[in-house]
């Protein structure tokens, strides 16, 4: 059965503008349909059921589209085979336009064309239900324009309306496509942000980031002389700032009105705090987010000023001879003492500061290797440098490492990059290719925290590794948990079978050391052999310097 037109009545001529003589024998889909895929799907259903009813977007002879209500019936020949389709169509374009207009009036703000309160509440209700099921957190940002009434009173309501339209556009352009930006009325806007994070603190931090984007968007001027946002002699710049209240919702069972009420209260706190700022509803969360924001600003300053130091933790062999060290980053904070890496490394990852910070660590470690190669006691030592997933995924990572190695003129076999298994989750083939490029220049690799992540013999066999590191969590419980002891023995056996060195980290007692030695572990790291220490203390242990402290002892 083909789809050529064999009958065309006066109603069809009126509906589509084509005369019978112009269309007979021509293919209906090509001539009329605005969506060939939609027509093909309708025909498939028709061949199964014998009838089909539905709506279609079709083309008039003049080129404009019309919406038709279709009723198709399949006609069979004397042998019971499909012969043709009887199609009855009605133009419902005006009805669809009216329905769309009613929907627009019911659910959208007439001035800004944003969702109104009714549509926002519908979406928020669904979002509350979905987030409770997924255990994810979402957020509501309640935005109120500062001093909007003064603008209306001084420049007039037409300028106020134009500002509201430009604010609506700027908010929509700033936020993600899946977010809802609504106008409640007056100068009040609400942003509904979904699927932030499962962790409450992480979700709050991400919500804060979105709030910062909104504040940044308002930093640019508005031009209220006409619709074009450009500066002219008549079209003077006008600055408007927002006060933003943020309320999180998610796992807890919350009432619909309470979420908006919490965000509204937080917005008034932002007003009280001086306007052009944001506040969280939860005072404890507000303090945590504020503290984190301060810490990030201080971290950014520290990265710029290179206010960090490297500590080194010895790595020893079975005779407790130092064969290398792991470089560990420390941040001496002017007010809080030494900040724990557990506090600032995740922050550096999220903010992107890990890239310049990681490069600085690599440069310092390579400079140290360059100095050590001049001394017989240290020229054979290795330095292990931790590399995060974000660093390794950066397209310039390989070139950066090779450039640092070349500039410092070190023996690349003395540099060991410690990777975690999470690096390989996104694109294993690409990551292994990068490792091979570095390996071709002599750089070594250690797989850190082995057994805690995405261990797979498939990639373990393909990776150009030199070493596996047994995670300290397994070592610490080697006597308290049979599973941990079994895992340690398995990793040792696996490393030996693959021709890899295996180093156990977190060794704190002689009993742990004896267990590891009994199962043929060759390399060790932990407090039993030395805590992370400054370069001066380390070089004392290595016999390069002498300091006047009883705490400095040399290994026998």
């Amino acid at each position: 059965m083909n789809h050529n037109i064999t009958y065309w009545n006066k109603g069809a001529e009126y509906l589509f503008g084509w005369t019978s003589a112009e269309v007979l024998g021509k293919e209906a889909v090509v001539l009329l349909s605005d969506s060939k895929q939609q027509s093909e799907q309708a025909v498939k259903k028709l061949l199964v059921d014998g009838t089909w009813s539905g709506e279609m977007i079709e083309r008039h002879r003049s080129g404009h589209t019309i919406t038709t209500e279709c009723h198709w019936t399949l006609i069979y020949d004397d042998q019971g085979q499909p012969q043709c389709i009887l199609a009855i169509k009605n133009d419902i374009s005006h009805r669809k336009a009216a329905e769309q207009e009613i929907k627009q009036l019911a659910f959208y703000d007439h001035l800004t064309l944003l969702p109104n309160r009714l549509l926002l509440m519908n979406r928020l209700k669904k979002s509350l239900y979905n987030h409770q099921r997924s255990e994810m957190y979402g957020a509501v940002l309640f935005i109120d324009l500062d001093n909007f009434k003064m603008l209306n009173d001084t420049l007039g309501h037409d300028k106020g309306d134009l500002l509201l339209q430009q604010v609506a556009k700027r908010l929509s352009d700033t936020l993600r496509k899946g977010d809802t930006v609504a106008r409640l009325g007056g100068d009040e806007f609400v942003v509904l942000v979904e699927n932030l994070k499962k962790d409450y603190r992480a979700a709050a931090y991400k919500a804060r980031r979105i709030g910062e984007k909104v504040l940044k968007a308002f930093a640019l001027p508005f031009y209220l002389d006409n619709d074009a946002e450009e500066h002219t002699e008549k079209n003077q710049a006008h600055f408007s700032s927002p006060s933003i209240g943020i309320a999180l919702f998610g796992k807890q069972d919350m009432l619909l009105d309470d979420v908006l009420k919490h965000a509204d209260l937080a917005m008034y706190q932002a007003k009280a705090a001086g306007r052009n700022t944001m506040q969280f509803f939860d005072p404890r969360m507000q303090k945590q987010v504020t503290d984190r924001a301060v810490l990030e600003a201080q971290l950014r300053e520290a990265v710029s000023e290179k206010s960090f130091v490297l500590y080194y933790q010895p790595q020893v062999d079975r005779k407790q001879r130092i064969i290398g060290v792991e470089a560990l980053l420390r941040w001496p904070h002017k007010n809080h003492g030494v900040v724990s890496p557990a506090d600032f490394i995740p922050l550096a990852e999220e903010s992107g500061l890990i890239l310049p910070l990681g490069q600085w660590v690599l440069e310092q470690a390579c400079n140290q290797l360059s100095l050590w190669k001049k001394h017989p006691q240290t020229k054979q030592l290795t330095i292990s440098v931790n590399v995060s997933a974000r660093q390794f995924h950066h397209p310039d990572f390989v070139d950066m490492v090779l450039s640092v190695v070349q500039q410092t003129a070190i023996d690349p076999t003395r540099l060991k990059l410690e990777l975690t298994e999470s690096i390989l989750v996104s694109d294993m083939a690409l990551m292994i290719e990068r490792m091979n490029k570095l390996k071709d220049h002599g750089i070594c690799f250690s797989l850190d925290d082995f057994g805690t992540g995405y261990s797979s013999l498939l990639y373990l066999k393909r990776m150009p590794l030199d070493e596996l590191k047994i995670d300290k969590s397994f070592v610490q419980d080697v006597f308290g948990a049979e599973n941990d002891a079994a895992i340690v023995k398995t990793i040792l056996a696996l490393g030996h079978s693959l021709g890899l060195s295996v180093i156990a980290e977190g060794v704190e007692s002689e009993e742990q050391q004896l267990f590891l030695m009994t199962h043929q572990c060759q390399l060790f790291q932990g407090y039993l052999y030395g805590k992370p220490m400054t370069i001066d203390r380390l070089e004392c242990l290595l016999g390069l310097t002498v300091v006047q402290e009883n705490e400095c002892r040399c290994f026998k």
Side-chain angles (χ1 to χ4, degrees):
M1 182 181 67
N2 58 42
H3 300 289
N4 296 337
I5 298 172
T6 59
Y7 177 73
W8 190 261
N9 65 10
K10 291 294 182 180
E13 289 183 354
Y14 178 79
L15 180 59
F16 293 103
W18 299 95
T19 66
S20 176
E22 290 172 321
V23 301
L24 289 179
K26 294 186 178 179
E27 190 174 355
V29 171
V30 175
L31 185 68
L32 305 176
S33 178
D34 198 56
S35 172
K36 187 175 181 181
Q37 182 180 6
Q38 184 187 23
S39 296
E40 290 174 347
Q41 290 174 348
V43 170
K44 287 181 181 179
K45 185 170 179 57
L46 177 72
L47 291 173
V48 174
D49 299 337
T51 61
W52 175 82
S53 297
E55 296 177 3
M56 275 198 173
I57 305 297
E58 301 190 278
R59 289 194 304 272
H60 190 271
R61 181 179 182 179
S62 64
H64 70 270
T65 60
I66 56 177
T67 304
T68 60
E69 184 178 62
C70 306
H71 300 278
W72 292 3
T73 303
L74 189 60
I75 306 299
Y76 298 90
D77 61 18
D78 295 338
Q79 286 74 40
Q81 297 299 314
Q83 183 180 33
C84 63
I85 300 171
L86 175 62
I88 301 174
K89 303 184 179 186
N90 296 309
D91 185 0
I92 59 170
S93 300
H94 293 295
R95 190 183 83 193
K96 298 298 289 186
E99 290 174 356
Q100 182 61 35
E101 185 177 358
I102 292 171
K103 180 181 177 183
Q104 188 72 29
L105 291 171
F107 295 108
Y108 291 86
D109 172 58
H110 73 283
L111 178 65
T112 62
L113 305 183
L114 293 177
N116 61 14
R117 177 185 287 271
L118 181 59
L119 182 54
L120 171 69
M121 299 303 275
N122 286 342
R123 292 183 180 179
L124 181 56
K125 183 178 181 180
K126 293 178 181 177
S127 187
L128 285 172
Y129 175 75
N130 291 334
H131 282 70
Q132 288 172 12
R133 293 185 63 190
S134 67
E135 296 187 339
M136 293 282 285
Y137 282 98
V140 166
L141 283 70
F142 200 112
I143 302 169
D144 185 88
L145 303 187
D146 298 330
N147 302 315
F148 181 76
K149 185 176 184 302
M150 183 183 298
L151 180 145
N152 263 343
D153 292 343
T154 55
L155 299 182
H157 288 273
D158 58 330
K159 301 299 183 186
D161 287 348
L162 190 55
L163 175 63
L164 293 174
Q165 289 173 333
Q166 292 184 10
V167 166
K169 182 179 185 304
R170 198 169 291 186
L171 286 174
S172 299
D173 292 344
T174 299
L175 298 165
R176 305 175 304 179
K177 288 184 178 180
D179 299 334
T180 295
V181 183
R183 182 190 176 207
L184 292 193
D187 61 335
E188 294 179 339
F189 295 83
V190 169
V191 174
L192 170 61
V193 183
E194 301 184 276
N195 300 320
L196 291 174
K197 291 284 185 179
K198 284 194 173 183
D199 177 73
Y200 189 58
R201 293 184 61 182
Y205 185 67
K206 200 166 182 180
R208 172 183 163 269
R209 288 287 197 188
I210 295 169
E212 287 175 342
K213 288 177 66 177
V214 172
L215 291 172
K216 187 176 180 180
F218 275 77
L220 299 174
F222 296 90
Y223 296 97
L224 306 180
D225 187 63
N226 50 52
D227 291 336
E229 291 195 33
E230 57 184 14
H231 175 73
T232 65
E233 185 176 348
K234 293 183 178 180
N235 202 12
Q236 296 297 315
H238 175 81
F239 289 89
S240 180
S241 61
S243 293
I244 307 172
I246 304 176
L248 296 185
F249 62 90
K251 300 177 185 179
Q252 69 275 29
D253 186 12
M254 294 185 67
L255 296 176
L256 190 64
D257 290 335
D258 286 346
V259 179
L260 277 180
K261 188 184 299 181
H262 291 173
D264 189 28
L265 288 171
M267 182 272 293
Y268 280 105
Q269 291 176 357
K271 292 276 189 190
R275 305 172 187 265
N276 195 26
T277 187
M278 59 183 166
Q279 293 284 323
F280 280 81
F281 171 73
D282 186 343
R284 294 169 300 171
M285 183 54 63
Q286 176 62 41
K287 184 179 186 305
Q288 291 176 351
V289 171
T290 301
D291 290 346
R292 185 161 181 160
V294 171
L295 188 64
E296 181 181 335
Q298 294 171 341
L299 179 62
R300 196 172 296 277
E301 181 181 357
V303 170
S304 176
E305 297 178 355
K306 297 180 172 59
S307 304
F308 297 88
V309 294
L310 281 188
Y311 277 43
Y312 299 90
Q313 187 170 28
Q315 297 173 332
V316 304
D317 61 14
R318 291 172 70 91
K319 295 183 179 180
Q320 297 193 21
R321 295 174 299 195
I322 298 178
I323 49 87
V325 295
E326 179 180 359
L328 299 167
L329 188 62
R330 296 293 184 265
W331 179 15
H333 194 282
K334 55 187 177 183
N335 297 325
H336 306 300
V338 178
V339 181
S340 169
D343 291 331
F344 74 85
I345 291 296
L347 188 57
E349 287 272 7
E350 293 175 11
S351 63
L353 293 172
I354 195 66
L355 299 177
L357 192 54
Q359 182 170 345
W360 181 85
V361 171
L362 183 68
E363 290 170 351
Q364 296 302 304
C366 289
N367 285 331
Q368 192 59 57
L369 284 173
S370 182
L371 294 173
W372 280 353
K373 72 179 183 180
K374 302 172 184 177
H375 301 280
Q377 302 99 310
T378 55
K379 66 179 182 179
Q380 296 302 318
L381 294 180
T382 63
I383 294 184
S384 298
V385 176
N386 290 282
V387 176
S388 74
R390 186 159 186 173
Q391 288 175 268
F392 203 83
H393 288 156
H394 194 278
D396 297 331
F397 178 75
V398 171
D399 292 338
M400 184 273 289
V401 173
L402 295 178
S403 175
V404 173
V405 169
Q406 184 179 15
Q407 290 173 11
T408 53
I410 65 167
D411 176 359
T413 63
R414 302 294 98 195
L415 175 63
K416 190 181 298 179
L417 301 183
E418 289 197 7
L419 311 178
T420 59
E421 295 164 288
S422 60
I423 286 177
L424 298 163
V425 173
S426 59
D427 191 338
M428 182 175 72
L430 177 61
M431 298 303 104
I432 291 177
E433 179 185 345
R434 290 183 180 176
M435 291 177 68
N436 281 323
K437 287 181 180 179
L438 293 170
K439 187 67 175 177
D440 290 342
H441 288 81
I443 294 170
C444 300
F445 288 96
S446 175
L447 191 58
D448 196 11
D449 300 338
F450 184 71
T452 63
Y454 305 88
S455 304
S456 166
L457 292 179
L458 173 64
Y459 74 67
L460 194 62
K461 183 175 65 174
R462 293 174 55 192
M463 291 171 67
L465 289 172
D466 300 275
E467 178 182 86
L468 299 179
K469 291 193 81 172
I470 303 176
D471 185 65
K472 61 183 179 182
S473 62
F474 299 132
V475 174
Q476 289 172 351
D477 290 335
V478 76
F479 292 112
E482 292 183 6
N483 288 342
D484 287 350
I487 290 172
V488 169
K489 289 187 282 187
T490 300
I491 295 174
L492 287 166
L494 180 62
H496 295 154
S497 66
L498 294 175
L500 303 176
S501 298
V502 181
I503 181 169
E505 60 179 351
V507 183
E508 298 181 357
S509 69
E510 293 182 355
E511 290 78 12
Q512 292 169 344
Q513 174 185 265
L514 179 60
F515 174 89
L516 292 163
M517 285 186 171
T518 301
H519 294 90
Q520 304 307 309
C521 186
Q522 303 296 320
L523 303 174
F524 311 87
Q525 179 180 341
Y527 285 3
L528 182 63
Y529 316 103
K531 295 182 178 181
M533 60 190 73
T534 63
I535 187 62
D536 292 340
R537 184 65 54 84
L538 176 65
E539 291 188 340
C540 167
L541 293 178
L542 295 170
L544 297 181
T545 60
V546 177
V547 296
Q548 302 300 317
E549 292 186 25
N550 295 329
E551 295 178 6
C552 184
R553 63 182 180 83
C554 294
F555 286 96
K556 297 181 181 179

